Amino acid sequence: MTATAPATTARTTAPAPSRLRRLAGAFTWTRLAALLIALFVAAPLYWMAVSSLKGLDEVGANPPTLWPDRITFDNYREAFAENNFGTYLLNSVLVSIVATILVLGLSSFAGYALARLPLRGKAPIMVALLMISLFPTIALAAPLFLLMRELGWLNSYQGLILVYTALNVPFAIWILRNFFLGIPKEMEEVAWVDGASPVRTVLFVILPQARPGMFTAAIFTFTACWTEFLIALTLNTADRYRTMPVGVALFGSQFTIPYGTIFAAATVSVLPIALLVLIFRRAVVSGLTAGAVKG
């Protein structure tokens, strides 16, 4: 005669209906708030893009139209053919890309040194870098102008690239240093045991692991160089060396302001930044959250 043990059933307690309603309500309000913020941010961009497709009479129409009655690309033709916008755009691409590459190269090794090496005075160095990155640009315009004049680098690419590199290195060091702190030290120790030099370890072991942080620093640096106005206006006054923000600001004449042409040029200038953010959005979010949590 065999005794059968009573079967035990696991009980699962479901959340109370009131709790489910609260969670659903909070989720709905969160999505609604995100939607409102997205509309608030996207509305000026939509208006800029739509206005670039309108004729001159419709741009200033009252009441304004949400969509052009007749789509025209004359504003884009005037921006490139009559206002030299193509040269300004190429200048911005050249300066921004070269400055971003230099910033990543310098800040990678500096950030690694501040994160890993036993250096004295790390805290004062980080505070100094933060103060430099927050220093107002307008206070640097006159000294930089005098310095570049002495070097003979006014109206040149190298002068603007050097200044942009110096202005963006401190913030990039902050981002990369915080990200390097989250990389396990065991990976470096294994590389050292295999005979890798410190430089080779950084290039082939650490930097591949810090790819999200590199993308974050690169996008922030490129955006800062792409949109900078005051230093570019101060150092490069010749038309052939002007960057895109300065060139667009000088559209028009004393008596007329070509709003449609300005909208067209602004729409083209926003596209590279928008594409970078859309393509690398996951890497940017990962780099920012890693730095915030592990820094």
Side-chain angles (χ1 to χ4, degrees):
M1 187 174 184
T2 59
T4 58
T8 60
T9 58
R11 297 181 180 180
T12 58
T13 59
S18 59
R19 184 181 178 186
L20 290 176
R21 285 195 295 268
R22 288 197 301 270
L23 291 175
F27 182 70
T28 302
W29 282 109
T30 302
R31 296 186 64 180
L32 180 61
L35 179 61
L36 291 176
I37 294 174
L39 290 175
F40 181 79
V41 173
L45 300 177
Y46 170 81
W47 185 257
M48 177 183 65
V50 169
S51 298
S52 68
L53 301 174
K54 297 179 180 179
L56 181 60
D57 54 344
E58 194 177 357
V59 171
N62 189 15
T65 57
L66 296 178
W67 187 256
D69 295 334
R70 183 180 63 87
I71 296 178
T72 177
F73 294 94
D74 291 342
N75 295 321
Y76 291 90
R77 180 185 58 79
E78 292 179 4
F80 283 93
E82 301 180 12
N83 290 277
N84 206 22
F85 181 68
T87 300
Y88 307 148
L89 193 64
L90 290 177
N91 290 339
S92 290
V93 169
L94 174 64
V95 171
S96 300
I97 290 179
V98 175
T100 301
I101 294 173
L102 292 176
V103 167
L104 289 180
L106 295 174
S107 59
S108 297
F109 288 96
Y112 176 80
L114 291 172
R116 286 288 194 262
L117 301 183
L119 302 176
R120 292 184 178 180
K122 286 186 179 181
I125 292 175
M126 297 304 296
V127 172
L129 290 174
L130 182 61
M131 293 177 63
I132 293 173
S133 62
L134 297 177
F135 205 78
T137 308
I138 192 172
L140 302 174
L144 288 174
F145 176 84
L146 297 176
L147 176 61
M148 293 301 156
R149 187 180 64 179
E150 293 297 324
L151 293 175
W153 284 0
L154 292 178
N155 293 319
S156 66
Y157 296 119
Q158 63 269 22
L160 203 56
I161 290 172
L162 178 63
V163 173
Y164 284 173
T165 301
L167 291 178
N168 290 282
V169 160
F171 184 67
I173 291 176
W174 264 90
I175 294 177
L176 294 178
R177 179 252 182 189
N178 291 337
F179 203 88
F180 289 149
L181 289 174
I183 299 177
K185 293 183 178 180
E186 289 77 8
M187 301 183 64
E188 302 166 65
E189 295 173 354
V190 170
W192 294 337
V193 170
D194 291 339
S197 63
V199 175
R200 189 176 181 85
T201 302
V202 174
L203 292 178
F204 297 100
V205 178
I206 300 301
L207 293 186
Q209 298 297 320
R211 192 176 294 111
M214 298 287 289
F215 281 132
T216 304
I219 291 177
F220 273 97
T221 302
F222 184 86
T223 304
C225 298
W226 185 263
T227 59
E228 201 282 324
F229 175 80
L230 181 60
I231 299 299
L233 177 65
T234 303
L235 299 184
N236 290 355
T237 57
D239 190 66
R240 59 173 296 191
Y241 291 108
R242 283 175 180 161
T243 55
M244 178 266 306
V246 178
V248 174
L250 298 179
F251 277 4
S253 61
Q254 183 179 359
F255 302 102
T256 60
I257 301 177
Y259 290 106
T261 307
I262 293 175
F263 283 137
T267 302
V268 174
S269 66
V270 168
L271 286 178
I273 304 300
L275 290 176
L276 284 175
V277 173
L278 288 176
I279 294 173
F280 300 111
R281 63 186 183 277
R282 295 183 183 273
V284 172
V285 173
S286 175
L288 290 177
T289 54
V293 174
K294 301 170 184 175

